Amino acid sequence: MSEKKKGIREISPIDVYKLLPRTNCGECGVPNCMAFATKVVNGEAVAGGCPPIHDSQYKDSFIKLQELLAPPVKAITIGSDRKITVGGKHVLQRHEFTYQYPPPIAIDVSDDMDAAAINARVHKIAGFSYGYIGRTLTLDAIAVRSVTGDVDRFKAAVKVVVESSDLPLILCTHDPGVMKAGLDVAGNRHPLIYAATSKNWRAMADLAVSHGCPLVASAPGDLSLLRSLVKTLQACGITDIVLDPGTFGDEGLAGTVFSFTAIRKAACRDGDSLFGLPILGTPISVWTGQELSDEVNRWQEVYTASILMTRYADLLIMHSLDGWAVLPQLIWRFGLYTDPRKPVSVEPGLRIFGNPGPDAPVFITSNYALTFFTVESDIKAAKIDCYLIVTETGGLSVEAAVAGRYLNAEKIGDALRNSGVQEKVTHRYLILPGLAARLSGETEEASGWQILVGPRDSSGIGKMIREHWPPQEGN
Ligand code: SF4
């Protein structure tokens, strides 16, 4: 009987260390192989990040390492120049191990649209972008759907998309003849083929093999058929398979969540290799249900997408492109796939706003990303020329950092000295966040700077500077 493969949480740094070159050369950016092994088991580095391991003398070790670290849900790449990775999951629950590979969101275009409409929609998809606590959130792929069933129209639609954008593609039709026409145009872009079913699997498998493209196995509402289809496709030599167990809106949503969860449990808990594959969610399918208004369809699509992203979709196809429909998905995905062990932080150091002179105010704050971007936004809104010292607080907010002593008088003194701001201003006043007011006395002693207590909420910074800067002697 074969030994059950270790889960990622059961792999120790020693397991990884034993398979590394163990020369402690430091080429991976950390001082020694054990430190690198620790990063690998924590999901902070990949085994291939050790340059020497690619030497032929370590070939067998590298293969063993990849087998040891392989996730129970296979990672599959879609796209050529621009790529997305789907799957690659190690665990069922986020608290077990940080989720990796956030599910890409593809937006559809269809071949019943004229070229100008396709072009405009593609540009809207590609240009969608939203700045969120220092990150740029974007859409990831385009799903080209054949709705006419016409070979030439599909080919023309795919051509317009290919010429308009380098985003990864999903080609959608159950007709192998139509799919072939799309692949003739976009096959070199390594698109995902949607989909092989119980009726067309042989022809779709041939197309996937001849073009070297990943393939969706689709069996809506029938998990045993889905297993059988995957087994058949694997026997045809196809390894890059994405599962489509069907997405049903409204009253079918509970069953959809059950199917997605059963698949992921089978992969992560039971080591079921037939279900150890990425899952495709198609919230877009709500648009093909009963006749409802567009607004109701959008609402259904929005909550279906959010639920499936939580349980356990690795890739989503949506139709709605309105900001209110798409943005919640992007922000939810950001939250879900952020390492819960590490608060989102920014680099500590001195930030300069506007053209501050020698009498410009000096503020200090924590390096928690949400705090920093809020303070930054409030300073910019108030049009203040100033300096802001961002202190290393382990990514904690000001209040939490003060309570946990991650922000204290000594740290503030060090941050002041290391920032070099004392060479830039002639005064010695530091504006402390209101939430750190209780550090005022000890900070004055530790730093030699006079402390002014700022507002508890950075939205009050503008008013404070207007009314109390420059400070009057004795204040
Ligand atoms: S690059 Fe590889 S061999 Fe060198 S220290 Fe890092 S893990 Fe060890």
Side-chain angles (χ1 to χ4, degrees), residues 324-451:
W324 70 263
V326 170
L327 211 44
Q329 318 308 329
L330 299 179
I331 290 176
W332 178 228
R333 178 176 71 180
F334 176 83
L336 202 56
Y337 281 75
T338 298
D339 188 341
R341 297 167 301 179
K342 291 184 195 155
V344 188
S345 60
V346 296
E347 278 297 306
L350 185 67
R351 306 292 203 279
I352 299 172
F353 294 91
N355 295 301
D359 54 353
V362 179
F363 296 92
I364 192 163
T365 190
S366 81
N367 77 326
Y368 175 43
L370 202 51
T371 299
F372 170 74
F373 287 111
T374 306
V375 173
E376 178 192 53
S377 155
D378 288 329
I379 288 174
K380 284 181 176 171
K383 297 187 171 58
I384 302 169
D385 296 327
C386 65
Y387 296 99
L388 173 66
I389 300 167
V390 181
T391 320
E392 169 60 78
T393 57
L396 293 177
S397 66
V398 170
E399 198 169 23
V402 171
R405 304 294 292 165
Y406 287 89
L407 187 64
N408 55 35
E410 290 70 34
K411 271 206 136 179
I412 295 172
D414 288 346
L416 263 172
R417 279 184 288 279
N418 296 336
S419 71
V421 76
Q422 62 271 43
E423 280 92 52
K424 297 181 186 298
V425 294
T426 48
H427 65 79
R428 288 295 179 264
Y429 288 101
L430 174 67
I431 302 173
L432 214 54
L435 293 169
R438 66 183 158 107
L439 302 179
S440 301
E442 51 188 303
T443 301
E444 287 197 344
E445 279 178 31
S447 66
W449 285 53
Q450 279 186 262
I451 299 300

Side-chain angles (χ1 to χ4, degrees), residues 28-47:
C28 54
V30 293
N32 54 57
C33 297
M34 189 50 124
F36 182 73
T38 305
K39 286 188 83 161
V40 169
V41 297
N42 284 336
E44 295 161 359
V46 293

Side-chain angles (χ1 to χ4, degrees), residues 11-61:
I11 298 169
S12 76
I14 291 285
D15 296 327
V16 174
Y17 173 77
K18 283 182 193 161
L19 294 166
L20 290 171
R22 286 177 281 164
T23 58
N24 299 327
C25 68
E27 282 185 50
C28 54
V30 293
N32 54 57
C33 297
M34 189 50 124
F36 182 73
T38 305
K39 286 188 83 161
V40 169
V41 297
N42 284 336
E44 295 161 359
V46 293
C50 160
I53 207 165
H54 300 285
D55 290 353
S56 55
Q57 59 174 317
Y58 300 118
K59 188 175 166 212
D60 290 346
S61 299

Side-chain angles (χ1 to χ4, degrees), residues 103-108 121 124-130 132 136-141 283-284 287 297-306 309 316-335:
I105 297 175
I107 303 290
D108 79 316
R121 187 162 165 87
K124 198 170 173 191
I125 297 165
F128 190 97
S129 140
Y130 182 75
Y132 183 66
T136 303
L137 308 181
T138 56
L139 296 165
D140 312 285
I284 190 174
W287 290 86
N297 279 331
R298 280 196 190 92
W299 275 112
Q300 281 203 16
E301 188 176 29
V302 164
Y303 67 68
T304 303
S306 299
M309 196 181 288
L316 291 166
I317 301 179
M318 293 182 66
H319 174 67
S320 304
L321 190 45
D322 312 69
W324 70 263
V326 170
L327 211 44
Q329 318 308 329
L330 299 179
I331 290 176
W332 178 228
R333 178 176 71 180
F334 176 83

